[in-house]
Structure formats: C-alpha cells, structure tokens
Amino acid sequence: MTHQYDDPGEQLLPRLRAWRRHNIHIGLSPRASPFWSGLLYREPRGAVTEYARLFDTALLHCDCRCPPDPALLSRMSGQAGEDFAWTLFIDGEQMIYRFPYGHPDRKKRGEVNPHFLDPCRIAETFIPLLRLPETSVRVVLLKIGNIGRTEALDFDGFLRGLLRCLDALPPAYRYAVENGTSRFILPEYLASLRQRNIIHVPAPAPLLDAVRVPGALASDPCVLRSACLAMEEEGEEWMAFHETVRLCLGEEKTLYAYLTDGEAAASPRASRGTGVRRLTRLLA
C-alpha cells in the first residue's frame, strides 16, 4: 500500500496552493536541476509538466551571448499551461561594467565593457521570446553585476546610464532590476525606478539588509531571489524571505519568489532530502 506522502510533491502541493491564494507564487531556480529528480520530479531533470504540477512560476535564464531558442520556449510554455508565469532573467555581458580577467576572449579581459547596459543588445536577447503568443511573461528581470569601488563610474553616471537603458527598452513589458552594487541603492535610485514602474529586486547578498532598505519592496508585484534552501534553517536568508512575505501579505501585494535549488545543500554533510525538508519547513 502506498503511503499518502510517499511523493514529497503531493505533500507540498496543498501548501503551495494555499500560498497562491494569497498571491505568493513560489518557484525553484534553476527549474531543471537534477537535484530534485526522484524527490519532487518523477522524470529525469524535472520535465516542465512535472514542474508545473507543483509550481506556477519559473525563471528563464537569458544569457545575452546565448539566448534561449524561441521554439523550445514555445514548447515549454505549452506544457506548463496558460496560467503559468515566466520571468525572463537576463544577465551576461551587457550586464557587467568590466569584463572579468578570466573572460574567454583574451582581448576583453579586464577591459571596461563598451556595451554595458546597451538597450539594443539587451532587447535583441528577449524580444523574440516575448513575441511568442503561447508565452506568459510577467516580468523581464535585468541582473546588473557589482561595480567595484575603484571604478571611475560613480552613482550619478551609473544612474544616468541605467535610466537611459530602461527608457529605450520596449515599453510594453514590465521590467525589474537587480542591482548588485549595494552602495548605489539610494533613495534617488529607488525613486527613479518607481517613477518608471520598474520593480526593484533586492540583491541576494546580504538579502536581509537588502529587503530592509526603505522602499525596497514598494512595487507590486514584488520579486525576490533567495538562496534560503541552501542555507541553514532560521538564518538571515530565511528571515529575509519571511519578512518579504509578511510585507506582501500585509499590503496585499503579489510576490514572485524564486528559491535556489537544494544542490548547495547536497553536500557530504547533508542528506539528499535536505532541500525538500527545508522547502517543506519554509512553506509551513
């Protein structure tokens, strides 16, 4: 006889549905991590239909150098269903100010990126995906890398460049920005995003400090990326997640929360069920 909760996903599903009734939408990132196979997914690498059985939103990673195949996304969207919400997560070369010294192109190593926040190159990455009629993209999230303190680019120059980029992007879509330079998260910066209806996404490290910045969660919907499943339970990452949820519930806002998969928890000291146990407790 099969126990009612032999499938961990069946235990999680009522909790996920309850959270969705309050407009709290949970997704895993990356969606197709093999870590969850045999735990939440019954098929290898978490087929879209298996993922959508539990979750109703997902991040779709879009590297500017190698964007996703629109045909593949179309098939994935058909499998997930019309109510499934995708967030396009755009990073890569257009999102970094200076090329890393380990860049594969030797000519670019350590050089300032001349195409930093280039709206034309960014749009080329995701516009073909958004034109798919089957795809329900709720948010286009731009992840901007950290800008070192020794760089010549100051806050004013950064803000001008960012706003020029945002103003030049196609206006039909909802945008979000995750800014990896914490010293640039100033009231003027947040106000400029609010004026343009841009979602500010708190940067993950340290996440608790980021969500406590006044005005950091002023948008509706809110978007959060959290590594809490890879962290010790009840730590600061968990506190940041719960503070964000409480604020969104209190102000009746929608939240899209993307949680790192449990791969980082699958260390020699952790059992294979660590990620599932933490996800279960997080949603309790």
Side-chain angles (χ1 to χ4, degrees), residues 97 116 147-148 150-159 183-184:
Y97 177 70
F116 177 57
I147 299 170
T150 59
E151 298 290 2
L153 185 65
D154 61 9
F155 170 74
D156 291 335
F158 167 78
L159 185 59
R183 68 182 185 279
F184 288 171

Side-chain angles (χ1 to χ4, degrees), residues 14-164:
R15 302 183 186 195
L16 290 164
R17 285 174 173 168
W19 284 57
R20 286 200 286 267
R21 286 196 291 270
H22 295 284
N23 291 320
I24 307 297
H25 304 273
I26 306 295
L28 299 181
S29 175
R31 172 194 57 78
S33 169
F35 177 77
W36 297 109
S37 296
L39 295 173
L40 296 183
Y41 306 146
R42 293 167 292 193
E43 298 179 20
R45 295 197 62 80
V48 175
T49 51
E50 286 292 296
Y51 180 89
R53 176 175 69 101
L54 301 174
F55 306 100
D56 68 339
T57 187
L59 280 179
L60 181 67
H61 185 264
C62 297
D63 189 322
C64 296
R65 291 179 298 175
C66 186
D69 179 9
L72 175 61
L73 178 57
S74 180
R75 290 195 299 271
M76 290 169 57
S77 298
Q79 294 170 0
E82 61 181 13
D83 294 329
F84 193 87
W86 297 94
T87 290
L88 296 189
F89 180 69
I90 299 178
D91 63 355
E93 288 201 351
Q94 277 64 54
M95 299 290 107
I96 56 176
Y97 177 70
R98 184 181 294 275
F99 294 115
Y101 287 95
H103 195 281
D105 186 341
R106 292 179 178 271
K107 295 181 179 179
K108 292 182 177 180
R109 292 179 180 177
E111 297 297 319
V112 172
N113 181 4
H115 300 295
F116 177 57
L117 297 180
D118 183 332
C120 295
R121 297 197 175 211
I122 294 171
E124 288 172 357
T125 302
F126 67 84
I127 289 299
L129 305 178
L130 294 177
R131 286 175 177 163
L132 297 172
E134 305 90 345
T135 307
S136 177
V137 174
R138 303 294 170 84
V139 177
V140 177
L141 197 170
L142 310 180
K143 179 183 180 297
I144 304 174
N146 177 58
I147 299 170
R149 290 184 177 275
T150 59
E151 298 290 2
L153 185 65
D154 61 9
F155 170 74
D156 291 335
F158 167 78
L159 185 59
R160 283 195 301 271
L162 174 62
L163 298 183
R164 185 165 53 244

Side-chain angles (χ1 to χ4, degrees), residues 183-200:
R183 68 182 185 279
F184 288 171
I185 311 300
L186 302 175
E188 181 183 352
Y189 168 83
L190 295 173
S192 296
L193 295 188
R194 285 195 300 271
Q195 289 170 2
R196 290 163 172 79
N197 201 28
I198 307 293
I199 301 167
H200 168 66

